[in-house]
Amino acid sequence: MLTTNPFDDDKLREECGVFGVSGAADSAAALVALGLHALQHRGQEAAGITSFDGAHFHTHRAMGHVAGNFDKDEVIRALPGNVAMGHVRYSTTGETALRNVQPLYADLATGGFAIAHNGNLSNAMRLRRDLVRSGSIFQSTSDTETIIHLVATSSYRTLLDKFIDALRRVEGAYSLIAMTPEGLIACRDPLGIRPLVMGRLGDAVIFASETVALDVVGATFDRAVEPGELIVVQGESMRSIRPFGTQPARPCIFEYVYFSRPDSIADDRSVYSVRKAIGAQLAIESPVEADLVIPVPDSGVPAAIGYAQESNIPFELGIIRSHYVGRTFIQPGDKVRHLGVKLKHNANRALIAGQRVVLIDDSIVRGTTSLKIVQMMREAGAAEVHMRIASPPTRHSCFYGVDTPERAKLLAAKMNLDEMTRYIQADSLAFVSIDGLYKALGETHRADIRPSHCDACFTGDYPTTLTDQDDAVEVDQFALLAERVN
């Protein structure tokens, strides 16, 4: 099978999107399905919805997109109740299999418990190992199931206290929605690394990964769930709990660069406006004499508009994307593969021929995509091809819910700027600086002050401990030592 989505294959992948509703007048599951449609960009491997009708939990999970799995009346009718939650998944931990599709559900001593998770637990493997040794039996390979076992084995009496106790033991990033017979719980990790917002639709309370999901269902945005906050919705009552104390937040800065939809609002900022500002800052830092500014569709568009406006170079759609091609079942010979690539994206040859073009993309990961794009421009007759990237070089892996290749496969981790430029065969290459990225957010970045966001993929400054990663390093070092001894 040949993917015809080459410009997406070399992107960082956000793990998941979550959506929950309590107090829906009609079918809560139908609202959840609509919300998941709006969050489809956050996870395209699988989707699931769990509802509660006051007596029983009902779940439907499936591989693939929301459309096709949750647009049938019979599926929604099988998910009754005025409380429901859903999840779209792109795996960063655990295999791609139905058993890992969320929401995950378990019958605990305190009753039914369903959970959906956006993020990644950086000590899940160590916790899992300890839980298995003490008798826990895991049904999935997802790190999210670790939370269920921690809740089940907690010595606290109430389910809420058990849940809080479980969260005190985990590290890393999580925005969670949990559902119990008593109500709906939404919470965010103490650093707020992954996003979560709250809205209202009539008497219903809604939680979602992004504000765009609220827009789609006609809900009004209320506020963001604060870092370290748990919100418990029980019928018509709602209360906020902050069991972890307070500390400076570190939300993921890449939400502005790529993950969030441009029509979302994050921390009172328009994602679209921030991306335009990043493009303008990139033009200030790395100008070039050129005839056209061309975005790499679709994520490069806002930054390209900002770059064009700041540099006074015309913005044009030099790469045309077909939105009606997903995958094609073709034997992957080199010639046929190249033709398959053009089914999805094609150069606007009449526009490009003889022109000096500036390509704007959001990031470079392995570099394979950038190489293909530059080659496409050359074949279309471009006189010069300059690449500008609306984020700093990605030099470090992410362990907080983003599918990042191991560091050895990150182009910027193994090459300097000149080497990267030669690798992608561009006439020039430049990235926005880390200072420029923060400036686009309206903030000042200083190396001697704790940053306001998690920017570890650029700087290596991880805001939490990385227990599983440290354990893996220790194992590797032990194996290397044993090999030397032998």
Side-chain angles (χ1 to χ4, degrees), residues 56-136:
H56 302 97
F57 287 83
H58 308 269
T59 296
H60 182 77
R61 302 182 298 163
M63 304 302 297
H65 289 187
V66 179
N69 286 312
F70 291 96
D71 53 3
K72 300 179 179 66
D73 289 342
E74 59 269 25
V75 173
I76 299 300
R77 284 199 300 269
L79 297 166
N82 67 355
V83 182
M85 58 189 286
H87 187 269
V88 288
R89 181 174 193 263
Y90 182 87
S91 60
T92 62
T93 63
E95 63 186 334
T96 301
L98 189 60
R99 64 175 177 159
N100 286 329
V101 180
Q102 299 183 30
L104 298 181
Y105 175 82
D107 283 308
L108 307 182
T110 51
F113 182 77
I115 188 170
H117 172 205
N118 171 214
N120 197 59
L121 307 182
S122 56
N123 65 336
M125 293 305 297
R126 179 181 288 188
L127 289 171
R128 182 187 181 104
R129 183 174 63 243
D130 294 343
L131 286 162
V132 169
R133 286 173 177 169
S134 63
S136 291

Side-chain angles (χ1 to χ4, degrees), residues 117-239:
H117 172 205
N118 171 214
N120 197 59
L121 307 182
S122 56
N123 65 336
M125 293 305 297
R126 179 181 288 188
L127 289 171
R128 182 187 181 104
R129 183 174 63 243
D130 294 343
L131 286 162
V132 169
R133 286 173 177 169
S134 63
S136 291
I137 301 174
F138 280 73
Q139 301 299 312
S140 76
T141 57
S142 169
D143 62 331
T144 310
E145 190 181 355
T146 304
I147 298 174
I148 295 178
H149 288 275
L150 291 175
V151 172
T153 57
S154 172
S155 59
Y156 282 81
R157 186 177 62 85
T158 69
L159 179 57
L160 181 59
D161 287 337
K162 289 175 178 288
F163 188 47
I164 293 172
D165 181 45
L167 295 183
R168 291 186 189 279
R169 297 182 60 187
V170 302
E171 302 168 357
Y174 55 84
S175 284
L176 300 170
I177 298 178
M179 190 161 60
T180 76
E182 288 76 33
L184 199 67
I185 305 171
C187 66
R188 199 172 171 199
D189 68 77
L191 293 175
I193 297 174
R194 301 260 69 87
L196 192 63
V197 298
M198 179 173 67
R200 296 180 185 273
L201 180 63
D203 295 329
V205 178
I206 297 176
F207 299 98
S209 292
E210 293 183 39
T211 61
V212 67
L214 302 178
D215 297 338
V216 166
V217 301
T220 58
F221 170 61
D222 191 346
R223 64 179 179 88
V225 177
E226 297 295 327
E229 181 183 23
L230 276 79
I231 299 178
V232 183
V233 183
Q234 297 175 298
E236 297 181 357
S237 69
M238 183 173 66
R239 57 180 171 139

Side-chain angles (χ1 to χ4, degrees), residues 379-433:
E379 292 170 2
E384 297 177 11
V385 183
H386 304 274
M387 179 73 79
R388 296 293 181 267
I389 306 300
S391 64
T394 303
R395 294 192 172 100
H396 304 271
S397 298
C398 176
F399 303 100
Y400 300 122
V402 178
D403 183 29
T404 316
E406 59 189 57
R407 193 178 181 205
K409 294 181 180 179
L410 294 172
L411 194 69
K414 58 185 180 180
M415 293 184 185
N416 61 33
L417 185 62
D418 289 340
E419 290 169 335
M420 286 190 283
T421 305
R422 289 193 294 271
Y423 176 81
I424 68 172
Q425 299 177 13
D427 290 286
S428 72
L429 169 66
F431 298 79
V432 73
S433 68

